[in-house]
Amino acid sequence: MHEFLAQLANGVELGAIYALIALGYTLVYGILELINFAHGDVYTFGSFVALGVLVGLRAAGVLHGAGLILGIAAALIAAIIASALLNAAIERLAYRPLRKAPRLAPLITAIGVSFMLENLIELWQGSAPVPFPNVIPNPQLQIGALEVGVQQIVVVALAIVTMVALHFFVQRSRLGKAMRAVAQDRDAASLVGIDVNRTIAITFLIAGALAGVAGFVGGVSFGSAWFLNGFGAGLRAFTAAVLGGIGNIAGAMLGGFLIGLLESFSTWLIGGQWSNVAVFSVLILVLVFRPSGLLGESLPEKV
Amino acid sequence: MIYTYAFVAIAACVAIERFHNRRAKATIVLLLAAFLAIAPRFYGNDAVFSVLADAAVYVMLALGLNIVVGFAGLLDLGYAAFFAIGAYTYGMLASPQFGLHLPFWALLFIAAALAALFGALLGAPTLRLHGDYLAIVTLGFGEIVPQIFQNLTKYTGGPNGIAALDVPTFFGHSFGASVMPYYYIALFGIAFALWISRNLRESRLGRAWMAIREDELAAKHAGIDVLRSKLAAFAIGASFSGIGGVLFAAKLALVSPDLFGFQVSVLIVSMLVLGGMGNIVGVVVGSLLLTIVNSALLPQINSLVDTAFHTTLDLSNLHFLIYGAILVGIMLFRPEGLLPSRERRAELHHAGEAAVDA
Amino acid sequence: MSLLGLAGVTKRFGALTALSNVNLNVEEGAIFGIIGPNGAGKSTLFNLLTAIYRFDEGSISIGGVSIAGLTTQRIARLGVARTFQNLRLFGNASALANVMVGEHLLLQANIVDALLNSARERRERLEAERRARELLRFVGVVGVEEHFARNLSYGTQRRLEIARALAARPRLLLLDEPAAGLNPSEKLELVSLIRAIRDTGATVVLIEHDMGLVMNLCERIAVLDYGEKIAEGSPREVREHPRVIEAYLGAPA
Amino acid sequence: MSVLLDVRALEVRYGGIVALRGIDLHVEEGEIVALLGANGAGKTTTLRAISGLLPVRAGEISFAGASVRRRSPDAIARLGIGHVPEGRRVFTRMTVRENLELGGYAIASHRKVADRIDEVLAIFPRLHERIAQRAGTLSGGEQQMLAIGRALIARPRLLLLDEPSLGLAPLVVAQIFEVLRDIHKRGTTVVLVEQNARAALALADRGYVLRNGEIARADTADALARDPAVVAAYLGGE
């Protein structure tokens, strides 16, 4: 029972991170129908930026008391800004010129960008995992039989707040509506005065920012950053987005938490080396029975 | 030297694309075949033919995937899984692992059949999925298969894989340490794959694939059994990969799970896209180019830089950076591929004009 | 003899009833029209006939065979072919290849024939191509056999789609707004084409908004409104039917 | 009256194919101008070039005296050209209200947009009944009304309409044309592309006939409607 609760807490924490990354995939897919393979690496980049800021501030000796809170905030914000800018730059340089190209061209480009980023991050940070500075206190709380770290609670809370905010932003705000309009019909959107390129660029900024949040949260939660983190995490996050129904914000969240739980329980019950097998088997099973994902709409074919 | 061969082969392919006269095309094909068969007697060394044999295996893989993606329009991002299945078939059945030493030639067929079977097993439940959903499921499959080979340590040697695979024999003559037999087998394999590809494209089944790729709903209304046709594409494509796997494993005398990861699937998809999806000749050019870049050009640049600047800078550290940049660069400058099929040219030409009356 | 029979057919999408208790009989060899306002359920009806949707209640039979539970391709085997309101051609394929796909069910070559380019495959291919050229001539698509479908003019595309449907030698041909977007002279050609198709023995059911064309061409017409059949009869009977005028025509046509 | 839209020597190409060659046309403030022609003659292409959806190869397009040739579609929309595209193109997964709100995307004031939505709903009471429904659940006629309504929110000075009657029942077509008459009366200039040439000429002041990407004829609507050649080609004998 104790172990079960611990795995549950683990899975939820992991799921929150996957969900944050999945949101970025889903936003971009929703607007461009593109699997942004580089997104996982943007997440990795965010992790390293946060790590760099924390290391720098620790060396400056300011990470205590109020300085610690400000330092953590600075690391988070730096990760958000850096990832957002990187993602937007990728869109501008690698995807925008291909708006009218055959469908597979941007996908191959995305894979190419992903390879380049992974290699660049490796050159920058080396090929071994880099530990996150252990500066963030993590007092344990006992809630009934469940023992969780404050850090875990903060991670999940931060993720959920971000997701809810994003949901309302996309549903209610003027820009959010423009994003949905561009996603549905680019020409029609431009005819009502929406700047399509700008809207797509903003979508990439937001997706990148979410990857930045995830990068910070993931780094703190796993205790390290590694140049290839983004590949595995990105793959699972994209799987989460598809599982939930791609293009659907609530679906990405649901999918993220499910994949997180699945990973943590499969690791516990059948061993970590089987968790990929478990994750993808469940994905295949779900899609066989619900071809558009758990929350995705299956629109009747227009004939 | 390797570039001579690659250049001749690619030039011949381009010429075949340019000529419209059937007799001229046939002549070029014959000349090229004769050159590739005879030239090694006079020109080249083992290192060159080793790379060329690998290139030929990749050409076969790319032709197989072209049936799935180019003909039937099914994006498969886990094609390396079938490559792995083929390679492990050889690894497990022609090695000391179980003391089984089935002949190489029989295993070519067995691996083709097994890969086709797994293609059908994966396809049966998933081929109803559309577009990117299918892509992600196949990607998942591509991740699972090597992982399973890695985890079943008892049967597959785990992460270390299986070594000391049997050296094939030909009527009792061992291939020995020479790479030439593999080169010739792979050449023959390409010829076979080209013949099959062309047959399929012109067949009733090929027309059914075209219809499914263009408009699945309209295809159903023409009475086409969409699921069966897709399964056929998946199975045939997988069997090419299975055969390639046997060749690959026998030549390397080794299989291990890390040889069949996502990068390999991506590499093969890139070959298609680079060469020109759906166009058989384009696919050949794309796969030749990328293999040469990966196994000859990049290492050579590496050693050149080292000797020129007396550095220990290891450019192989930049392998993925350069490879990624090549992919991005080609897509940005020629998104339809180097030798696009007629269909792709038309598609690009009409991009974004769906609702136009001209 | 009745070729197509619907009895009490009902189709719902969630809370919306798209078709409600529709009864219909189409005689073999007829040219039968279905008209009605937008959203009346005409296209839904076609989509039930070719199993794009499943009906919730009632029964549909084609040539005496119930189509309940059959897939689209099984229904095609019963001899049903159709065209689409918004043209669904294989755009990146030649006109000829489009029609040859339509002949799919007439051919036998299997996967082994395909792999080996067997004698049967080659013989059938030649035969299919010959028939396809003949059909293109029949519908009046000449001189552009090798052009990609998407590059053809709109009127030619409409005729090409009809040729593709005819290639299966259907007993029942469903035409969804075949005259949409055609100019007056093209419409005249369409009328004679449809008559010629009927004269080859096929039964034609068509959805159309152009009243002139429907009244001129069809022997019987059914009128749908809000998913219900509100009238059926000869063109004259339908034109003078008060409910039809109220729901659809607006003023006596 | 002053010239609101002036198109000169307009040329548009797709790849190598010339879709429009040297189109000259103008629209005066307050007019209704019909563009007639067979499918493929270049009517839709003309409208799409004017609103910036297609790149212009040569020629000039000026609106209210200023060149719009190199502007993006959204910028042109904000200048006061509304375009109701062929096939309606409403945002099917959004509600009717959201569609109308997007029509006022370029308007900063919420209040103003809300007022204009009320005005449009007064013109199309049917949309009022369906305000919270998703646009995809509307019938073809209702979607057409929504597409027009969406364009009207921005109070365009010039409204481009592409085949508003396509695929609609006779009764609905009559309603749509009634609304167009009404919109015009309120002072909107209209360019109308219509398959239903008879109805279009009945409404229009002037018309252009396009053939193979060129202007084959330009005249008043009455003259065109009486011209035997035009009648034979586009109006059909009844």
Side-chain angles (χ1 to χ4, degrees):
Chain A
M1 187 62 194
H2 178 79
E3 183 63 20
F4 174 83
L5 288 174
Q7 291 301 338
L8 188 69
N10 256 341
V12 169
E13 185 186 7
L14 205 52
I17 298 165
Y18 289 154
L20 281 172
I21 311 175
L23 287 171
Y25 278 110
T26 248
L27 281 179
V28 165
Y29 190 90
I31 208 158
L32 283 187
E33 295 204 351
L34 166 72
I35 304 177
N36 181 12
F37 262 99
H39 190 75
D41 307 302
V42 173
Y43 152 82
T44 311
F45 181 66
S47 245
F48 275 113
V49 169
L51 185 143
V53 170
L54 285 177
V55 168
L57 292 176
R58 186 177 59 179
V62 295
L63 287 185
H64 39 72
L68 178 59
I69 309 262
L70 286 177
I72 291 172
L76 174 62
I77 290 168
I80 289 175
I81 292 175
S83 296
L85 291 178
L86 175 63
N87 210 33
I90 293 171
E91 187 274 325
R92 181 69 190 81
L93 298 174
Y95 305 153
R96 192 182 294 183
L98 292 173
R99 289 278 154 76
K100 290 186 173 176
R103 261 193 70 113
L104 277 183
L107 184 75
I108 298 292
T109 309
I111 292 172
V113 171
S114 166
F115 285 170
M116 291 170 72
L117 284 177
E118 280 166 14
N119 208 160
L120 285 171
I121 295 174
E122 185 189 4
L123 289 172
W124 174 40
Q125 292 285 346
S127 50
V130 181
F132 246 66
N134 193 11
V135 293
I136 303 173
N138 188 20
Q140 298 290 305
L141 291 182
Q142 193 74 34
I143 308 171
L146 177 67
E147 194 189 344
V148 292
V150 169
Q151 209 178 312
Q152 278 179 311
I153 296 174
V154 173
V155 161
V156 173
L158 185 61
I160 289 177
V161 168
T162 309
M163 291 183 264
V164 171
L166 180 69
H167 176 79
F168 281 102
F169 172 76
V170 170
Q171 286 302 317
R172 298 287 164 78
S173 77
R174 180 164 167 269
L175 203 55
K177 281 177 191 162
M179 282 165 60
R180 285 156 62 207
V182 172
Q184 286 183 43
D185 188 332
R186 243 177 261 172
D187 277 359
S190 71
L191 289 179
V192 298
I194 297 170
D195 185 332
V196 171
N197 279 334
R198 188 169 153 265
T199 308
I200 292 174
I202 291 171
T203 307
F204 273 80
L205 273 175
I206 295 170
L210 292 166
V213 176
F216 173 81
V217 165
V220 169
S221 161
F222 300 135
S224 71
W226 184 43
F227 80 106
L228 272 183
N229 263 350
F231 178 71
L235 198 54
R236 278 163 200 226
F238 186 72
T239 305
V242 172
L243 191 66
I246 194 146
N248 183 315
I249 290 179
M253 291 162 53
L254 176 67
F257 283 113
L258 283 178
I259 296 277
L261 287 168
L262 193 62
E263 180 171 337
S264 102
F265 278 100
S266 63
T267 303
W268 175 39
L269 297 171
I270 54 177
Q273 74 274 28
W274 289 105
S275 79
N276 257 345
V277 178
V279 165
F280 288 114
S281 306
V282 167
L283 172 78
I284 293 175
L285 277 179
V286 168
L287 288 185
V288 166
F289 293 104
R290 281 200 62 94
S292 42
L294 292 170
L295 300 183
E297 295 174 65
S298 51
L299 299 168
E301 189 143 16
K302 187 91 187 141
V303 182
Chain B
M1 262 186 285
I2 181 127
Y3 301 108
T4 317
Y5 283 97
F7 177 78
V8 170
I10 289 170
C13 287
V14 173
I16 291 168
E17 267 308 279
R18 290 279 172 273
F19 282 111
H20 295 289
N21 180 331
R22 280 186 70 166
R23 185 165 293 172
K25 285 187 185 196
T27 315
I28 299 170
V29 171
L30 284 177
L31 283 175
L32 177 66
F35 171 76
L36 290 176
I38 298 165
R41 297 199 143 276
F42 310 101
Y43 187 56
N45 55 36
D46 257 23
V48 167
F49 295 109
S50 175
V51 172
L52 285 178
D54 288 344
V57 169
Y58 277 111
V59 172
M60 261 187 82
L61 294 186
L63 285 170
L65 185 61
N66 184 48
I67 291 169
V68 181
V69 189
F71 289 0
L74 306 164
L75 180 53
D76 181 350
L77 290 181
Y79 189 62
F82 304 114
F83 191 39
I85 288 169
Y88 268 91
T89 303
Y90 191 74
M92 291 162 81
L93 300 182
S95 74
Q97 182 72 12
F98 298 111
L100 290 172
H101 297 281
L102 300 190
F104 170 79
W105 303 99
L107 282 171
L108 283 178
F109 291 96
I110 293 172
L114 270 179
L117 177 72
F118 277 97
L121 282 179
L122 169 69
T126 58
L127 283 173
R128 278 171 235 274
L129 297 172
H130 286 271
D132 294 331
Y133 283 88
L134 180 66
I136 205 73
V137 165
T138 53
L139 200 168
F141 184 72
E143 290 296 300
I144 291 177
V145 167
Q147 191 110 54
I148 289 177
F149 283 128
Q150 179 167 332
N151 291 344
L152 296 176
T153 311
K154 227 164 104 190
Y155 309 100
T156 61
N160 300 326
I162 307 169
L165 307 189
D166 295 354
V167 176
T169 57
F170 184 64
F171 291 112
H173 299 282
S174 171
F175 284 16
S178 167
V179 296
M180 291 317 292
Y182 300 104
Y183 170 77
Y184 283 111
I185 293 171
L187 272 192
F188 187 77
I190 292 182
F192 183 71
L194 284 172
W195 181 66
I196 295 271
S197 290
R198 209 209 49 158
N199 287 351
L200 287 170
R201 193 188 56 200
E202 303 298 327
S203 70
R204 175 183 185 235
L205 182 61
R207 291 193 293 276
W209 286 336
M210 174 276 282
I212 292 168
R213 189 183 70 219
E214 289 284 315
D215 188 330
E216 188 166 327
L217 196 98
K220 276 185 195 163
H221 279 85
I224 291 169
D225 190 331
V226 169
L227 199 62
R228 270 178 62 174
S229 308
K230 285 183 179 177
L231 269 180
F234 237 56
I236 296 172
S239 67
F240 277 43
S241 191
I243 294 174
V246 172
L247 278 174
F248 181 80
K251 175 165 173 284
L252 201 62
L254 172 87
V255 284
S256 76
D258 54 336
L259 295 171
F260 309 101
F262 178 63
Q263 274 88 354
V264 178
S265 296
V266 167
L267 176 67
I268 302 166
V269 174
S270 313
M271 289 170 175
L272 296 197
V273 178
L274 168 65
M277 180 108 48
N279 183 19
I280 297 172
V281 178
V283 168
V284 173
V285 170
S287 30
L288 277 176
L289 272 179
L290 271 194
T291 331
I292 300 296
V293 165
N294 264 325
S295 27
L297 186 64
L298 289 182
Q300 268 183 8
I301 294 178
N302 195 10
S303 59
L304 258 178
V305 169
D306 278 1
T307 45
F309 299 100
H310 303 287
T311 62
T312 49
L313 173 79
D314 189 2
L315 260 192
S316 63
N317 280 341
L318 298 181
H319 189 114
F320 275 101
L321 182 64
I322 298 171
Y323 176 48
I326 290 175
L327 291 186
V328 174
I330 291 176
M331 284 303 99
L332 289 181
F333 291 110
R334 232 179 134 81
E336 75 279 27
L338 297 172
L339 292 177
S341 65
R342 213 175 141 223
E343 290 84 355
R344 296 280 283 182
R345 270 196 294 263
E347 195 180 306
L348 194 77
H349 180 78
H350 282 265
E353 298 167 21
V356 170
D357 64 348
Chain C
M1 206 198 104
S2 153
L3 177 68
L4 171 66
L6 284 80
V9 171
T10 298
K11 171 67 191 172
R12 298 185 197 88
F13 294 108
L16 177 86
T17 304
L19 284 176
S20 142
N21 193 28
V22 172
N23 297 299
L24 208 62
N25 267 300
V26 178
E27 297 295 309
E28 183 117 45
I31 299 180
F32 192 99
I34 297 174
I35 63 174
N38 267 92
K42 303 181 302 290
S43 285
T44 303
L45 180 66
F46 269 23
N47 289 339
L48 294 183
L49 294 182
T50 59
I52 292 176
Y53 305 145
R54 304 232 167 269
F55 46 96
D56 298 308
E57 285 165 31
S59 67
I60 301 179
S61 68
I62 294 170
V65 180
S66 164
I67 66 161
L70 295 189
T71 59
T72 301
Q73 63 238 25
R74 289 289 307 157
I75 290 171
R77 278 172 192 273
L78 291 179
V80 181
R82 72 175 285 184
T83 65
F84 299 88
Q85 197 176 331
N86 302 311
L87 289 172
R88 300 190 76 129
L89 287 165
F90 309 124
N92 297 310
S94 68
L96 199 62
N98 268 273
V99 181
M100 285 170 77
V101 169
E103 293 179 80
H104 186 83
L105 288 175
L106 306 184
L107 310 181
Q108 260 96 47
N110 58 28
I111 183 168
V112 177
D113 296 306
L115 286 167
L116 305 179
N117 194 24
S118 70
R120 172 160 74 172
E121 182 77 59
R122 280 175 283 151
R123 188 183 65 237
E124 281 190 351
R125 178 161 58 234
L126 283 176
E127 182 60 14
E129 192 181 323
R130 191 188 57 72
R131 274 198 305 256
R133 287 186 191 280
E134 217 165 78
L135 259 175
L136 285 172
R137 247 195 319 279
F138 176 69
V139 300
V141 178
V142 185
V144 292
E145 288 87 348
E146 313 294 338
H147 290 213
F148 275 175
R150 71 186 322 156
N151 293 336
L152 301 176
S153 78
Y154 184 81
T156 309
Q157 290 191 12
R158 282 244 170 245
R159 274 179 298 190
L160 175 58
E161 207 191 21
I162 293 175
R164 184 181 70 190
L166 285 178
R169 298 196 181 140
R171 294 171 71 188
L172 177 61
L173 178 65
L174 308 173
L175 302 174
D176 197 347
E177 298 202 23
L182 299 188
N183 66 34
S185 59
E186 288 173 325
K187 280 180 186 172
L188 283 178
E189 289 166 19
L190 179 72
V191 167
S192 41
L193 176 61
I194 293 175
R195 290 213 172 102
I197 290 168
R198 191 265 304 273
D199 292 342
T200 65
T203 306
V204 179
V205 178
L206 59 103
I207 294 172
E208 191 44 68
H209 274 310
D210 185 313
M211 279 309 107
L213 188 134
V214 173
M215 298 291 166
N216 177 1
L217 185 60
C218 300
E219 291 126 12
R220 275 184 88 71
I221 295 168
V223 188
L224 295 182
D225 186 33
Y226 286 108
E228 289 181 43
K229 188 173 88 174
I230 58 170
E232 188 188 331
S234 68
R236 168 184 288 270
E237 283 163 356
V238 163
R239 190 162 31 198
E240 288 163 1
H241 197 292
R243 282 195 67 185
V244 178
I245 293 171
E246 181 202 349
Y248 186 58
L249 295 175
Chain D
M1 286 208 280
S2 65
V3 174
L4 184 61
L5 176 76
D6 195 11
V7 175
R8 290 201 183 186
L10 178 66
E11 185 179 321
V12 172
R13 292 185 182 203
Y14 298 129
I17 302 164
V18 181
L20 295 180
R21 61 184 92 223
I23 296 275
D24 287 303
L25 63 83
H26 71 277
V27 179
E28 314 229 342
E29 186 107 48
E31 270 191 316
I32 298 188
V33 169
L35 299 187
L36 309 177
N39 264 295
K43 309 182 298 283
T44 294
T45 307
T46 306
L47 294 196
R48 287 171 64 89
I50 293 170
S51 53
L53 290 173
L54 289 174
V56 170
R57 173 126 179 153
E60 190 46 71
I61 303 171
S62 56
F63 175 67
S67 170
V68 298
R69 179 183 156 184
R70 290 188 193 285
R71 288 182 187 259
S72 63
D74 51 292
I76 292 172
R78 287 192 296 266
L79 283 177
I81 297 183
H83 184 162
V84 181
E86 185 181 12
R88 325 191 233 283
R89 312 279 284 269
V90 294
F91 302 112
T92 50
R93 280 176 289 172
M94 296 165 107
T95 64
V96 169
R97 178 175 290 282
E98 283 175 325
N99 268 276
L100 294 173
E101 282 168 358
L102 281 166
Y105 182 77
I107 302 167
S109 151
H110 261 295
R111 200 51 262 129
K112 221 173 181 179
V113 174
D115 287 346
R116 295 213 186 153
I117 288 177
D118 289 341
E119 284 170 33
V120 164
L121 292 177
I123 303 175
F124 299 108
R126 277 292 274 280
L127 295 182
H128 198 247
E129 295 164 25
R130 321 226 149 191
I131 192 80
Q133 261 177 259
R134 284 182 173 212
T137 65
L138 302 183
S139 74
E142 289 162 348
Q143 288 191 11
Q144 186 65 60
M145 293 174 194
L146 178 57
I148 296 174
R150 184 180 66 186
L152 288 180
I153 300 283
R155 294 238 181 106
R157 287 176 72 185
L158 174 66
L159 188 62
L160 311 175
L161 286 155
D162 199 348
E163 303 271 12
S165 79
L166 192 71
L168 300 186
L171 194 60
V172 182
V173 174
Q175 287 168 6
I176 298 273
F177 272 89
E178 205 44 58
V179 168
L180 292 186
R181 206 179 300 270
D182 187 45
I183 292 167
H184 175 240
K185 258 195 222 131
R186 293 167 190 231
T188 309
T189 309
V190 176
V191 174
L192 178 63
V193 162
E194 211 7 287
Q195 197 55 237
N196 189 342
R198 191 177 298 279
L201 287 177
L203 189 67
D205 301 303
R206 289 188 304 116
Y208 292 91
V209 176
L210 277 80
R211 192 180 301 136
N212 296 329
E214 290 176 290
I215 301 274
R217 218 162 151 334
D219 212 330
T220 64
D222 292 341
L224 288 176
R226 280 195 308 266
D227 183 317
V230 173
V231 170
Y234 306 110
L235 301 182
E238 264 180 48

